[in-house]
Amino acid sequence: MGSSVLSKPMATIGIPKEIKADELRVALTPDGVKELVTQGLEVRVQSGAGEGAGISDDYFAQAGAQIVSKEEAWCTHLVVKVKEPQKEEFCFLREDMVLFTYLHLAAYPKVGEALLKSKATGIGYETVQMQTGFLPLLAPMSEIAGRLAAQTGANLLERPKGGRGVLIGGCTGVSPAKVAVLGAGTVGWNAARVAAAMDAEVILLDRSPERLRKLETNRNGRLVSLVSSRGLLERIVPTVDLLIGAVLTPGGRAPTLITEKMVQQMKSNSVIVDVAIDQGGCVSTSKETTHTQPTVNIHGVQHYAVGNMPGAVPFTSTEALTSVTLPYILGIAGRGLEKAITERPELLSGLNTVNGSICHPGVAKALGVAPRHPMACLR
């Protein structure tokens, strides 16, 4: 795809229905659609796209969207989704389109291969990064996933759910559950904060003393922060009731912090919630699961590794996602990708694939290919 295509406004925006297992979110709310239509853009929403989030076709139509077939939603200049394209959607990828969604190509290399083969431009929400390191389009879903991790872990500790039969906050005269959270980013901090609010004994681990020090002023409840190390993990993991994996490598694969041996040493019927599974997982025994079948028992430990955790609360997640993606959609569609990047430089790091090349170094490293500089890809 030449730069002439990327430099032009993209008059049509497609919102396909998500088909990933148990994915109930939709990429835009009706209010988001109305904002785009007001700016003179044409929005095509696949019929039924919002059903899972409780948003009917009528609401989208009233906002000005055209309700169309799957094929018509994909046959647009800019396709906006929630999750990476599934195998049966690869046929819709093409050179003259921009795909804007969570890609997580390090965890889903087949998607990367399909994007490269089609020469489609793929922008990953999760790699749009400010100079400060902040990930504006990942943050709201990370916040939701972190809060869900604590909530879900507490539920799975109940005996009927296969857990140890431990109440996360304990009660008068009885010790609370012990929770370890790996990573003090948005996911980890929200998970630790919610677990602490439920009166659990929480250990928050991160390799950055500066990050932990920054969070220290907001610490409450039975929450302790520690600088992580291999030896420390080996001592702590066998003692916990709930382990939450919340580490992040922008664009790349999550580091494996918990070995199979560590898992084998955990308490019988304890729980692991591996939020990092959409980047390959940070627990060696984790395998991606779904909301329909969320857990698998390995070495006597409940593993929860759903790759689209915020999909459990699709209405909240859709509202939160639209609130941060809409300005970028307006920029890309209304002024063209090149101008949008000039106005919002953080979009440059969001470029994962352009014209058959990988242009994000973290993604390229994870996929074992040589990257091209994103500006070179745009020329």
Side-chain angles (χ1 to χ4, degrees), residues 42 92 98 105 138 174 186 201 218-219 227 247-248 260 277 304 343 373:
E42 179 184 315
F92 295 118
V98 173
L105 299 184
L138 189 61
V174 181
T186 303
E201 180 187 339
N218 296 313
R219 184 168 62 86
V227 177
V247 295
L248 172 69
E260 185 168 8
I277 194 65
Y304 177 99
E343 295 171 353
H373 191 280

Side-chain angles (χ1 to χ4, degrees), residues 1 6 94-95 97-100 115 118-123 337 351 353-355 378:
M1 178 161 55
L6 293 175
R94 61 185 196 281
E95 186 176 358
M97 70 175 284
V98 173
L99 175 66
F100 194 32
L115 285 167
S118 67
K119 296 188 176 182
T121 297
I123 306 175
L337 182 56
L351 287 177
T353 65
V354 178
N355 197 27
L378 289 174

Side-chain angles (χ1 to χ4, degrees), residues 50-133:
E51 286 177 355
I55 306 171
S56 69
D57 289 348
D58 287 343
Y59 281 115
F60 281 117
Q62 289 167 16
Q66 295 183 23
I67 308 303
V68 300
S69 66
K70 174 172 63 178
E71 290 75 16
E72 290 172 303
W74 278 95
C75 189
T76 50
H77 299 102
L78 173 63
V79 174
V80 183
K81 291 182 82 277
V82 178
K83 293 302 289 181
E84 74 283 348
Q86 303 301 290
K87 185 177 180 180
E88 51 267 52
E89 294 174 316
F90 290 174
C91 61
F92 295 118
L93 300 174
R94 61 185 196 281
E95 186 176 358
D96 63 341
M97 70 175 284
V98 173
L99 175 66
F100 194 32
T101 188
Y102 288 115
L103 288 172
H104 293 295
L105 299 184
Y108 307 113
K110 294 293 184 184
V111 178
E113 292 173 10
L115 285 167
L116 293 178
K117 184 177 180 181
S118 67
K119 296 188 176 182
T121 297
I123 306 175
Y125 295 154
E126 73 281 1
T127 62
V128 174
Q129 189 168 18
M130 312 294 284
Q131 285 189 343
T132 60

